[in-house]
């Protein structure tokens, strides 16, 4: 089983994601709302283990 390298760095509300190949994506998290540049989707954390996700409309 190969090991995967993943790292996330926070800089205020910005989050930068890295893999073994280098920079992967960046995201923005403000309160319960977040956005990811790679998937271009919005996510809202709901109470408990639930969350709501809206994918990019084309």
């Amino acid at each position: 089983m190969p090991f995967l390298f993943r790292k996330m760095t926070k800089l205020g509300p910005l989050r930068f994601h890295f893999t073994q190949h280098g920079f992967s994506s960046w995201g923005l998290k403000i309160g319960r709302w977040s956005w990811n540049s790679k998937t271009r989707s919005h996510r809202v954390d709901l109470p408990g283990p639930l969350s709501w996700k809206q994918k990019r409309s084309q």
Side-chain angles (χ1 to χ4, degrees), residues 1 15 39-40 42 47-48:
M1 173 184 281
R15 292 158 193 258
T39 60
R40 295 183 187 254
H42 301 269

Side-chain angles (χ1 to χ4, degrees), residues 2-50:
F3 289 99
L4 298 175
F5 172 80
R6 291 178 51 182
K7 180 172 174 69
M8 180 183 66
T9 304
K10 296 179 190 176
L11 184 63
L14 293 175
R15 292 158 193 258
F16 300 97
H17 305 276
F18 299 92
T19 64
Q20 67 251 18
H21 301 293
F23 179 74
S24 173
S25 66
W26 64 276
L28 181 65
K29 183 164 177 64
I30 301 173
R32 294 182 175 228
W33 176 82
S34 64
W35 182 78
N36 185 291
S37 68
K38 190 171 191 176
T39 60
R40 295 183 187 254
S41 61
H42 301 269
R43 181 175 295 241
V44 177
D45 295 331
L46 300 174
L50 303 174

